[in-house]
């Protein structure tokens, strides 16, 4: 694990020792040389990006450049009207500002983690569940990450109920419309064997039980230990219990340590992706590394279903807004039909737009040359909206540009499998930035915390929207003042170690549980320990 704190102190003290007595001519010259080398380098870099950008724009944005020039950033329209030389200097100016402000390690290094490390081993009292005469079958619902965390919960539930778990069926009806089975997405044999010491898992229900009457249950969401012990008793006459939904059926908090660790063993070790997914995922991470060394994985949740579901139409055309409204009203399981987009946005309930993400990352100090992997499905409106991010960060990489057609062929018609690739690339990235807080964002953030508090920058959307609106009305300008406010706002939003947050105060009953931070978003303290504890 990288220990940034001590490394930092060491290098600092050694330089101060050699410099302390003699701030000599040599030192000063060295500084000047370094500084100018740095700016020349940045200049060359930004020029390269401009030409990259130009190519991109030519290739991908020709049709839209006319009609959308109005909605483009001030920065871009400026560069169009000025002679090339000035244009490049403007780039250089903007490119240099944040680089000089923010030290490299602040942009990229993992959070100092105080010697914390993953801990998933059971305690000495722990015993495997013996249950062999009762079976639990599960229909896992939702997208990939909802299913993964749901399955981890079901492993714990089967353990508590002293039952054998049948490999879960995956959701084929959700928005994802994916026909993948468990073994298409996960390494089934590994799943079964790595949980051997916990409970029995079988591929299928034994033949003789296929026709016996089953107890069909919708377990209450966020239930605790007592609920499932009670269920085990009241359903003791059934040999097969069918669970209709797996998402959020288990409480986040107040469960025995061994149950929490079992959830972590399942999610972080047992639920390994299937070989083809793991292999391609690793390959793509290597390709990203070979392109630029470090990269940001941006979960750009600017997809049609999300915008329609949240009713966020800010920055969209009337036709687009109308299309999203119709989709929402005709999707039965989305309960809220009438949504005031303005209120959603002010409340911080909208995914950031590609343009907003661009402003955000630039304000944080990431230089335009930063390599950004877009972990997402199809971006709504495609290049029209993406161009507003690409104008600031031309080095955007998509699955489709990173992998060959041949490599992606087996995955493209399976949303869950492509999401698994995004998951791997996001967990492995140097910096993970989710533009919205969904299941994927939570799962990736939690996994990164577990693996050593890798940097996850969660945008404070409510705070940012206020700044964005000030920019739009001209009360604030981009540059160092915006930068310092954005950086200040996100000092403690970068995935540094902290214990999982409880419920918001003042709430009672189920509403409380809903506002707790998810166990899988932050498995500290149960699955992350200080050196002495384990
Ligand atoms: C679990 O089930 C097995 C039989 O399947 C039984 O022998 C054992 O006593 C049960 N354990 C508990 C704690 O109920
Ligand atoms: C939506 O909410 C905003 C802010 O509260 C308000 O000004 C606006 O009139 C509302 N729009 C509609 C269509 O109700």
């Amino acid at each position: 694990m990288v220990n940034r704190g001590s490394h930092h102190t060491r290098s600092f003290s050694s330089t101060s020792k050699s410099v302390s007595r003699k701030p000599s001519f040599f030192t000063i010259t060295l500084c000047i040389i370094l500084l100018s080398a740095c700016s020349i380098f940045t200049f060359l870099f930004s020029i390269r990006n401009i030409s990259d950008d130009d190519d991109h724009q030519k290739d991908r944005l020709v049709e839209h450049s006319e009609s959308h020039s109005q909605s483009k950033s001030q920065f871009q329209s400026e560069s169009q009207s000025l002679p090339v030389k000035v244009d490049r200097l403007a780039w250089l100016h903007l490119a240099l500002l944040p680089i000089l402000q923010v030290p490299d390690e602040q942009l990229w290094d993992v959070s100092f983690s105080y010697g914390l490390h993953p801990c998933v081993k059971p305690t000495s009292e722990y015993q495997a569940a013996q249950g062999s005469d009762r079976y639990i079958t599960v229909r896992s619902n939702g997208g990939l990450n909802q299913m993964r965390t749901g399955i981890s919960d079901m492993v714990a539930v089967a353990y508590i109920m002293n039952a054998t778990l049948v490999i879960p069926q995956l959701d084929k009806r959700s928005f994802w419309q994916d026909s993948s089975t468990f073994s298409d997405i996960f390494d089934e044999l590994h799943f079964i064997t790595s949980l051997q010491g916990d409970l029995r898992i079988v591929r299928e229900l034994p033949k003789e039980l296929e026709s016996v009457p089953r107890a069909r249950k919708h377990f209450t969401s966020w239930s605790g230990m007592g609920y499932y012990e009670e269920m085990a008793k009241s359903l003791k006459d059934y040999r097969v219990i069918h669970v209709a939904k797996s998402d959020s059926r288990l409480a986040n908090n107040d469960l025995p340590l061994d149950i929490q660790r079992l959830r972590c063993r399942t999610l972080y070790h047992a639920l390994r992706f299937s070989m083809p997914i793991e292999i391609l995922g690793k390959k793509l991470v290597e390709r990203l590394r070979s392109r630029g060394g470090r990269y940001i994985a941006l979960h750009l949740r600017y997809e049609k279903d999300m915008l329609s579901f949240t009713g966020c139409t800010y920055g969209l055309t009337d036709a687009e807004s109308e299309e999203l409204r119709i989709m929402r009203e005709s999707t039965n399981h989305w309960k809220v039909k009438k949504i005031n987009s303005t209120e959603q946005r002010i409340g911080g309930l909208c995914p950031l737009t590609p343009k907003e993400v661009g402003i955000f990352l630039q304000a944080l100090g990431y230089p335009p040359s930063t390599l950004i992997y877009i972990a997402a499905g199809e971006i709504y409106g495609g290049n029209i909206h993406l161009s507003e991010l690409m104008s600031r960060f031309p080095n955007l990489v998509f699955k489709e540009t990173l992998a060959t057609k041949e490599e992606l062929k087996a995955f493209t018609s399976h949303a869950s499998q492509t999401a698994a690739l995004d998951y791997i690339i996001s967990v492995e990235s140097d910096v993970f930035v989710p533009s919205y807080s969904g299941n994927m964002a939570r799962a990736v953030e939690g996994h990164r915390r577990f693996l050593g508090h890798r940097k996850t920058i969660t945008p404070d959307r409510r705070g940012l929207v206020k700044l964005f609106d000030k920019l739009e009305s001209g009360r604030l300008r981009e540059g160092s003042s915006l930068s310092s406010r954005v950086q200040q706002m996100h000092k403690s939003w970068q995935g540094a170690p902290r214990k999982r947050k409880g419920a918001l105060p003042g709430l009672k009953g189920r509403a409380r549980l809903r506002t707790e931070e998810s166990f899988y978003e932050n498995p500290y303290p149960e699955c992350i320990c200080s050196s002495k504890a384990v």
Side-chain angles (χ1 to χ4, degrees):
M1 214 185 303
V2 183
N3 191 336
R4 183 180 122 207
S6 65
H7 171 75
H8 209 78
T9 342
R10 216 182 308 128
S11 60
F12 177 72
S13 58
S14 67
T15 32
S16 66
K17 214 180 280 170
S18 63
V19 175
S20 58
R21 290 279 160 223
K22 284 195 286 178
S24 65
F25 178 67
F26 172 72
T27 320
I28 294 166
T29 321
L30 192 70
C31 279
I32 292 172
I33 290 173
L34 270 175
L35 261 179
S36 26
C38 187
S39 32
I40 290 170
F41 180 72
T42 321
F43 181 62
L44 291 176
F45 227 69
S46 58
I47 285 186
R48 208 199 64 194
N49 290 329
I50 297 163
S51 41
D52 278 353
D53 189 28
D54 287 343
D55 290 345
H56 271 293
Q57 306 256 343
K58 268 181 222 125
D59 288 343
R60 313 181 63 164
L61 307 171
V62 177
E63 300 149 68
H64 311 299
S65 56
E66 291 288 318
S67 55
H68 279 262
S69 56
Q70 273 212 308
S71 62
K72 274 183 191 169
S73 64
Q74 191 199 348
F75 175 51
Q76 249 192 322
S77 49
E78 204 178 319
S79 69
Q80 273 160 5
S81 59
L82 293 170
V84 178
K85 221 172 174 181
V86 183
D87 169 24
R88 288 194 173 175
L89 281 176
W91 265 103
L92 176 64
H93 174 69
L94 261 182
L96 270 180
L97 251 181
I99 291 175
L100 287 180
Q101 277 175 349
V102 182
D104 220 39
E105 61 264 27
Q106 192 181 318
L107 292 176
W108 295 104
D109 282 6
V110 299
S111 303
F112 180 63
S113 58
Y114 307 95
L116 295 169
H117 59 92
C119 49
V120 296
K121 281 203 183 119
T123 67
S124 54
E125 288 106 70
Y126 185 76
Q127 283 181 345
Q130 304 294 312
S132 55
D133 54 359
R134 184 194 298 188
Y135 291 80
I136 290 186
T137 59
V138 177
R139 255 189 64 137
S140 209
N141 64 306
L144 175 75
N145 291 289
Q146 208 168 3
M147 292 195 287
R148 283 180 77 239
T149 51
I151 291 168
S152 303
D153 283 355
M154 286 305 129
V155 165
V157 166
Y159 175 88
I160 297 170
M161 293 180 72
N162 191 22
T164 295
L165 181 69
V166 181
I167 290 286
Q169 284 179 293
L170 301 189
D171 196 335
K172 297 182 174 52
R173 294 188 308 190
S174 75
F175 178 81
W176 295 51
Q177 296 284 327
D178 188 339
S179 62
S180 304
T181 62
F182 189 93
S183 62
D184 290 330
I185 298 182
F186 303 109
D187 183 338
E188 193 173 89
L189 184 64
H190 176 78
F191 180 66
I192 294 172
T193 53
S194 76
L195 292 171
Q196 246 162 10
D198 299 288
L199 78 170
R200 198 163 78 99
I201 300 175
V202 294
R203 287 209 159 89
E204 287 171 337
L205 205 56
K207 276 272 174 297
E208 70 273 18
L209 291 181
E210 272 172 7
S211 53
V212 303
R214 301 180 189 189
R216 292 178 188 276
K217 294 299 291 182
H218 267 98
F219 289 138
T220 307
S221 27
W222 299 298
S223 292
M225 190 80 177
Y227 174 88
Y228 285 109
E229 283 169 343
E230 200 48 51
M231 279 291 153
K233 261 185 230 154
S234 70
L235 299 174
K236 68 178 184 331
D237 294 334
Y238 288 94
R239 294 203 55 203
V240 184
I241 299 165
H242 179 72
V243 183
K245 269 179 129 187
S246 64
D247 69 311
S248 312
R249 300 298 111 184
L250 193 59
N252 293 305
N253 300 309
D254 303 322
L255 290 169
L257 183 60
D258 275 324
I259 296 298
Q260 301 289 51
R261 293 220 172 139
L262 174 56
R263 292 167 105 178
C264 293
R265 284 201 295 283
T266 308
L267 189 64
Y268 301 132
H269 294 309
L271 276 177
R272 188 162 81 189
F273 292 117
S274 63
M275 273 315 222
I277 296 176
E278 285 284 334
I279 289 171
L280 184 56
K282 285 216 176 78
K283 222 187 253 176
L284 298 185
V285 170
E286 276 161 26
R287 267 178 222 168
L288 278 164
R289 296 249 176 260
S290 72
R291 279 197 192 188
R294 296 182 290 206
Y295 69 94
I296 294 178
L298 171 63
H299 185 42
L300 190 57
R301 195 69 170 93
Y302 205 72
E303 294 151 309
K304 193 173 179 184
D305 64 319
M306 180 48 68
L307 293 174
S308 172
F309 173 71
T310 54
C312 294
T313 58
Y314 171 80
L316 299 180
T317 65
D318 288 348
E320 288 171 328
S321 307
E322 187 60 11
E323 181 187 30
L324 296 178
R325 185 186 62 78
I326 292 169
M327 179 179 177
R328 179 170 66 253
E329 289 183 353
S330 57
T331 305
N332 287 330
H333 58 275
W334 292 348
K335 301 265 158 43
V336 186
K337 302 294 182 189
K338 287 243 174 306
I339 298 178
N340 181 330
S341 173
T342 313
E343 283 176 3
Q344 283 286 98
R345 184 162 177 273
I346 294 170
L349 302 173
C350 290
L352 296 184
T353 68
K355 179 181 177 179
E356 289 172 336
V357 170
I359 299 174
F360 173 58
L361 292 178
Q362 200 163 40
L364 283 174
Y366 289 96
S369 58
T370 304
L371 190 64
I372 301 180
Y373 175 79
I374 304 289
E378 201 177 322
I379 302 302
Y380 188 58
N383 289 336
I384 301 176
H385 297 302
L386 268 175
S387 65
E388 298 178 332
L389 171 59
M390 212 179 266
S391 63
R392 291 163 192 269
F393 293 96
N395 285 330
L396 295 188
V397 183
F398 302 83
K399 263 184 259 17
E400 294 75 16
T401 53
L402 196 58
T404 64
K405 269 213 177 73
E406 204 48 38
E407 285 169 326
L408 282 182
K409 211 165 83 189
F411 296 87
T412 37
S413 54
H414 298 284
S416 295
Q417 298 185 33
T418 44
L421 291 174
D422 281 341
Y423 185 90
I424 293 173
I425 297 171
S426 297
V427 167
E428 291 306 319
S429 65
D430 299 275
V431 177
F432 175 62
V433 180
S435 67
Y436 187 74
S437 61
N439 293 303
M440 157 107 172
R442 281 193 286 270
V444 171
E445 175 176 350
H447 203 162
R448 292 172 65 83
R449 287 179 176 280
F450 177 77
L451 290 172
H453 295 95
R454 298 176 179 177
K455 196 190 269 296
T456 297
I457 307 179
T458 308
D460 171 2
R461 292 191 305 276
R462 238 164 51 175
L464 282 174
V465 161
K466 285 191 195 131
L467 296 181
F468 294 149
D469 286 345
K470 280 191 181 160
L471 283 181
E472 203 162 73
S473 64
R475 282 173 293 155
L476 182 67
R477 287 173 63 101
E478 285 190 55
S480 54
S481 134
L482 175 73
S483 267
S484 66
R485 290 174 75 168
V486 169
Q487 285 167 24
Q488 188 60 34
M489 196 183 269
H490 291 87
K491 270 218 163 84
S492 53
W493 296 60
Q494 311 217 357
R498 60 165 175 78
K499 287 192 177 153
R500 192 164 62 255
K501 290 180 197 151
L504 293 178
L507 294 169
K508 290 216 174 83
R510 310 215 63 73
R512 268 181 64 78
L513 302 175
R514 199 175 281 280
T515 64
E516 286 174 350
E517 186 173 19
S518 153
F519 175 74
Y520 296 110
E521 184 175 359
N522 185 1
Y524 185 23
E526 295 91 339
C527 304
I528 298 173
C529 306
S530 58
S531 310
K532 283 174 200 156
V534 171

